[in-house]
Amino acid sequence: MSKTQTSSKLEFLEDPATLAGSLGKAELFFEKNRNLVLGLVVAVVLVIAGFIGYRYWVSSQDEEAQTAMFPSVYEWEADSLKKALNGNGANEGLIAIADEYSAAPAGNLASFYAGVALLKQGKYDEAIEKLKAFSSSDLLVQGRAYALIGDAYLEKKAYSDAIDAYKKAADYKPNQYFTPGYLIKLALAYEQNKQNQEAIETYNKIIDKYPTSAESANAKKYKSVLESTVGES
């Protein structure tokens, strides 16, 4: 190997004198900023420890919430809505569980159950509050929550809010099983809000995108009736 090649390769190596100087500067910086550096290290350690502690706390909260929920879910399934929501004296109800364990997955699910029960009771504002507090990445339940919020707004005759909620339901992970049903509700909400053109477009979307769905036949029928009504006006 030539001297030129050797020299070129050595350029990629740290010069011992330069390295020693860099280390010296680092030691000097540490000495001058000892408290700052140690403070940053402690802060990082505390953040990591706090995250681990929080995860452990959420896990323990979830176990407690699941245990507390069991009797209330049983009442919910039996359609004993008052007991499901408020408990029976021996057990907490869904409302209390949702509030107390809001950070835990089971507490989050309690909000959904509570929202459905409140909607059945005709307590629309409370139902909306609980259903909005619920959040999930699940294909079925989150879309269902949006649609139920729309149902509550529709009962309140708050048609614009119902439309917004049904749009969220229809746009959430579109699929042939649930989306057509949400689109039918959206179209009907448009009709209630006198947005006939938007309703017709939504019926067309069902017919074109989900032709084999059960809702497609209804969409054709509702669209035909609406178009004849619009033509007469």
Side-chain angles (χ1 to χ4, degrees), residues 6-14:
T6 303
S7 176
S8 177
K9 286 191 174 184
L10 289 176
E11 288 177 2
F12 291 98
L13 301 178
E14 286 282 1

Side-chain angles (χ1 to χ4, degrees), residues 102-129:
S102 59
N108 178 49
L109 188 58
S111 291
F112 177 81
Y113 279 115
V116 175
L118 290 163
L119 182 59
K120 288 184 177 181
Q121 288 186 333
K123 298 177 180 178
Y124 303 123
D125 289 327
E126 294 174 60
I128 290 167
E129 180 184 353

Side-chain angles (χ1 to χ4, degrees), residues 62-165:
D62 192 47
E63 289 179 10
E64 290 180 22
Q66 288 183 43
T67 302
M69 270 183 67
F70 183 78
S72 295
V73 172
Y74 176 81
E75 299 288 0
W76 187 88
E77 291 176 343
D79 220 25
S80 299
L81 301 181
K82 186 175 180 180
K83 289 182 179 179
L85 287 167
N86 303 313
N88 58 11
N91 302 294
E92 288 183 291
L94 292 168
I95 293 175
I97 294 168
D99 292 340
E100 184 177 351
Y101 299 98
S102 59
N108 178 49
L109 188 58
S111 291
F112 177 81
Y113 279 115
V116 175
L118 290 163
L119 182 59
K120 288 184 177 181
Q121 288 186 333
K123 298 177 180 178
Y124 303 123
D125 289 327
E126 294 174 60
I128 290 167
E129 180 184 353
K130 288 301 177 190
L131 289 167
K132 282 187 173 181
F134 171 77
S135 178
S136 173
S137 59
D138 182 85
L139 173 64
L140 169 61
V141 186
Q142 183 61 72
R144 179 67 174 155
Y146 289 142
L148 289 170
I149 292 170
D151 292 347
Y153 278 126
L154 201 67
E155 292 289 347
K156 285 165 55 68
K157 302 188 186 308
Y159 300 126
S160 293
D161 291 326
I163 287 168
D164 289 341

Side-chain angles (χ1 to χ4, degrees), residues 5-227:
Q5 289 177 317
T6 303
S7 176
S8 177
K9 286 191 174 184
L10 289 176
E11 288 177 2
F12 291 98
L13 301 178
E14 286 282 1
D15 178 70
T18 303
L19 183 60
S22 298
L23 292 174
K25 290 178 181 178
E27 290 175 0
L28 182 62
F29 174 83
F30 180 78
E31 288 298 327
K32 288 184 176 181
N33 301 276
R34 179 186 297 271
N35 292 336
L36 174 63
V37 173
L38 291 178
L40 290 173
V41 171
V42 170
V44 170
V45 171
L46 288 175
V47 168
I48 294 172
F51 176 74
I52 294 171
Y54 176 76
R55 291 294 296 272
Y56 175 79
W57 177 79
V58 167
S59 177
S60 64
Q61 288 280 292
D62 192 47
E63 289 179 10
E64 290 180 22
Q66 288 183 43
T67 302
M69 270 183 67
F70 183 78
S72 295
V73 172
Y74 176 81
E75 299 288 0
W76 187 88
E77 291 176 343
D79 220 25
S80 299
L81 301 181
K82 186 175 180 180
K83 289 182 179 179
L85 287 167
N86 303 313
N88 58 11
N91 302 294
E92 288 183 291
L94 292 168
I95 293 175
I97 294 168
D99 292 340
E100 184 177 351
Y101 299 98
S102 59
N108 178 49
L109 188 58
S111 291
F112 177 81
Y113 279 115
V116 175
L118 290 163
L119 182 59
K120 288 184 177 181
Q121 288 186 333
K123 298 177 180 178
Y124 303 123
D125 289 327
E126 294 174 60
I128 290 167
E129 180 184 353
K130 288 301 177 190
L131 289 167
K132 282 187 173 181
F134 171 77
S135 178
S136 173
S137 59
D138 182 85
L139 173 64
L140 169 61
V141 186
Q142 183 61 72
R144 179 67 174 155
Y146 289 142
L148 289 170
I149 292 170
D151 292 347
Y153 278 126
L154 201 67
E155 292 289 347
K156 285 165 55 68
K157 302 188 186 308
Y159 300 126
S160 293
D161 291 326
I163 287 168
D164 289 341
Y166 289 141
K167 279 183 179 179
K168 285 184 178 181
D171 291 341
Y172 182 79
K173 299 184 179 181
N175 61 87
Q176 61 181 322
Y177 305 106
F178 310 116
T179 306
Y182 301 149
L183 288 171
I184 279 284
K185 291 188 174 190
L186 174 59
L188 294 173
Y190 274 133
E191 286 197 50
Q192 291 293 323
N193 207 39
K194 308 301 181 186
Q195 294 178 252
N196 294 328
Q197 188 56 45
E198 287 83 352
I200 290 171
E201 289 172 2
T202 304
Y203 288 135
N204 283 333
K205 187 173 184 179
I206 299 169
I207 296 165
D208 294 340
K209 288 196 170 184
Y210 307 99
T212 61
S213 67
E215 290 78 9
S216 181
N218 285 331
K220 292 175 183 177
K221 180 174 65 176
Y222 297 154
K223 176 191 171 187
S224 178
V225 171
L226 180 58
E227 285 177 330

